[in-house]
């Protein structure tokens, strides 16, 4: 794969402190994440709340420093760089919060908010900046008169569009979308997803699409990465994963998704209870405490990543027995 983004053994551990501020342990929010995204593709990232999806996005974007590991973007290592050194190499990488409209400055007119990244990060002339502002506003389907309005003068949906436009001002190549449709009505969700697809085509974007809505991920992404307690346990072609999930965790996740037109080939089972805390990840396979197939081997060693014939990568000791 000609990877735009290539992550290897990425860790982000947060200190756990007691009431006196003494460190009593580590919360392993990211614990050995490896994955790659090819230029132009949409990679969905799914998993239960707290499994580390946002931490992954923020660590790639440099909002969090990794504890260790590698992040190569456009051929350059960007993990662990100082903010100033990282800024230039990360210019083409944008992290988009759940509601990008909420990050607009309420005291600035829309036009000012859109132009600001160009003033800070480029030496474009004022005329060129204005042209790009107008082009980008048109790309998110907003009329030019919005440039003179303040965020409170437009609707929430329009604010979201302006937020997206702002993210696109520097013409990134990779956009990390963190739950871009959560909290929206189903009809508005569809509008936002369509807009994201249009923008991808117009600006040649690659997306990392974080969501816990499996139906949306299935529609939207070509490949899917399933995270459990800070690690990717299965990654591969979306349709293959949905048709025949290999990892027991993926099977349990997909059992909650309605099947439309077709039969599921493998056995699925409902997942019980809460995941363990990322501050106390089980020894061996991290899923073993909730896995109906777990045995002594699973308690002893963390399963390595294994590649299936269809190119999927799965971390489980029992793929043969499960197949
Ligand atoms: N700044 C931080 N300091 C300490 N712990 C953190 C910090 N950010 C995240 N965590 C912890 O890291 C773990 C992963 O959090 P993260 O927000 O990445 O999960 P998530 O998969 O995005 O969940 P959700 O689906 O609810 O958004 C959680 O246990 C969280 O409490
Ligand atoms: Mg999150």
């Amino acid at each position: 794969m000609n990877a735009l983004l290539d992550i290897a053994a990425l860790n982000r551990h947060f200190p756990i402190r007691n009431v006196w501020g003494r460190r009593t342990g580590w919360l392993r929010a990211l614990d050995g994440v490896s994955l790659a995204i090819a230029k132009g593709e949409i990679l969905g990232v799914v998993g239960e709340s707290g499994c580390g999806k946002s931490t992954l996005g923020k660590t790639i974007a440099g909002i969090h420093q990794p504890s260790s590991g590698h992040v190569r973007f456009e051929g350059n290592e960007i993990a662990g760089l100082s903010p100033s050194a990282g800024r230039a190499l990360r210019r083409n990488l944008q992290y988009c919060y759940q509601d990008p409209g909420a990050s607009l400055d309420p005291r600035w007119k829309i036009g000012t908010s859109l132009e600001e990244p160009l003033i800070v990060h480029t030496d474009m002339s004022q005329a060129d900046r204005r042209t790009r502002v107008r082009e980008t506003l048109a790309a998110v389907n907003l009329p030019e008169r919005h440039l003179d309005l303040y965020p409170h003068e437009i609707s929430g949906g329009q604010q979201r569009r302006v937020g997206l436009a702002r993210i696109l001002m520097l013409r990134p190549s990779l956009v990390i979308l963190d739950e871009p449709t959560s909290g929206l009505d189903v009809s508005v969700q569809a509008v936002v997803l369509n807009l994201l697809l249009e923008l991808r085509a117009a600006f040649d974007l690659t997306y990392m699409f974080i969501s816990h809505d499996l139906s949306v991920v299935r529609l939207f992404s070509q490949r899917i990465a399933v995270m459990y307690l800070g690690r990717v346990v299965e990654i591969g072609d979306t349709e293959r994963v949905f048709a025949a999930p290999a990892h027991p965790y993926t099977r349990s996740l997909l059992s909650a998704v309605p099947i439309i037109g077709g039969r599921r080939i493998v056995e699925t089972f409902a997942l019980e209870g809460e995941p363990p805390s990322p501050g106390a990840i089980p020894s061996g396979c991290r899923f073993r405490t909730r896995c109906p197939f777990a045995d002594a081997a699973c308690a002893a060693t963390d399963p390595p990543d294994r590649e299936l014939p269809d190119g999927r990568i799965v971390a489980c000791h029992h793929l043969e027995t499960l197949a």
Side-chain angles (χ1 to χ4, degrees):
M1 182 199 289
N2 187 7
L4 178 65
L5 180 78
D6 194 354
I7 299 171
L10 190 65
N11 289 318
R12 170 67 216 199
H13 298 170
F14 294 107
I16 303 173
R17 297 187 191 281
N18 63 16
V19 285
W20 296 281
R22 284 231 353 238
R23 183 170 55 73
T24 55
W26 291 101
L27 187 151
R28 285 143 65 189
L30 296 182
D31 198 38
V33 172
S34 300
L35 58 83
I37 307 184
K39 189 162 169 38
E41 87 170 337
I42 303 180
L43 175 76
V45 177
V46 300
E48 282 163 293
S49 182
C51 71
K53 303 181 296 295
S54 296
T55 307
L56 175 62
K58 289 178 186 171
T59 307
I60 296 168
I63 299 166
H64 289 317
Q65 282 290 336
S67 306
S68 61
H70 299 282
V71 180
R72 285 181 76 78
F73 175 63
E74 295 182 327
N76 299 304
E77 178 67 51
I78 56 168
L81 292 178
S82 68
S84 55
R87 200 168 298 129
L89 296 178
R90 283 201 182 90
R91 204 177 117 169
N92 294 335
L93 197 169
Q94 290 284 335
Y95 175 81
C96 178
Y97 285 89
Q98 186 177 332
D99 182 357
S103 58
L104 296 172
D105 192 320
R107 297 160 305 173
W108 286 359
K109 288 184 176 174
I110 307 295
T112 314
S113 275
L114 292 183
E115 193 178 356
E116 193 245 10
L118 300 179
I119 296 173
V120 175
H121 295 284
T122 72
D123 48 13
M124 288 167 75
S125 70
Q126 192 184 48
D128 288 349
R129 293 198 303 262
R130 298 273 154 90
T131 309
R132 180 168 293 184
V133 166
R134 280 195 299 273
E135 278 171 9
T136 317
L137 195 75
V140 297
N141 302 329
L142 287 177
E144 223 169 273
R145 60 186 167 77
H146 275 52
L147 293 175
D148 280 324
L149 300 178
Y150 289 92
H152 72 268
E153 294 176 310
I154 60 177
S155 76
Q158 290 168 339
Q159 284 178 15
R160 215 173 256 252
R161 284 167 192 270
V162 174
L164 278 176
R166 190 171 143 90
I167 279 164
L168 296 175
M169 287 311 299
L170 293 168
R171 300 291 185 260
S173 56
L174 175 68
V175 181
I176 300 170
L177 299 162
D178 196 347
E179 310 269 5
T181 59
S182 82
L184 297 176
D185 289 350
V186 175
S187 59
V188 185
Q189 272 189 19
V191 174
V192 171
L193 290 174
N194 278 330
L195 176 63
L196 289 171
L197 289 177
E198 282 172 27
L199 294 173
R200 170 168 168 259
F203 297 107
D204 204 10
L205 299 172
T206 302
Y207 287 144
M208 178 163 164
F209 181 78
I210 298 172
S211 175
H212 54 249
D213 188 332
L214 289 161
S215 326
V216 169
V217 170
R218 181 175 195 175
L219 279 176
F220 199 73
S221 46
Q222 291 129 12
R223 279 196 318 136
I224 179 172
V226 180
M227 283 184 75
Y228 187 74
L229 277 183
R231 182 175 173 188
V232 174
V233 294
E234 177 160 0
I235 180 168
D237 181 88
T238 304
E239 273 319 306
R240 287 188 184 140
V241 172
F242 272 83
H247 195 284
Y249 178 60
T250 320
R251 293 181 183 207
S252 64
L253 265 192
L254 298 193
S255 72
V257 183
I259 309 171
I260 301 158
R263 210 160 52 85
R264 190 162 275 136
I265 304 161
V266 296
E267 290 273 315
T268 58
F269 58 93
L271 197 56
E272 281 172 17
E274 297 273 308
S277 155
I281 293 182
S283 66
C285 174
R286 64 200 61 215
F287 186 56
R288 70 180 167 86
T289 55
R290 295 167 93 194
C291 180
F293 311 104
D295 62 14
C298 306
T301 46
D302 200 7
D305 285 340
R306 288 162 64 187
E307 188 165 347
L308 302 189
D310 66 11
R312 240 184 295 174
I313 294 171
V314 186
C316 173
H317 284 305
H318 289 306
L319 289 176
E320 286 75 20
T321 21
L322 287 170

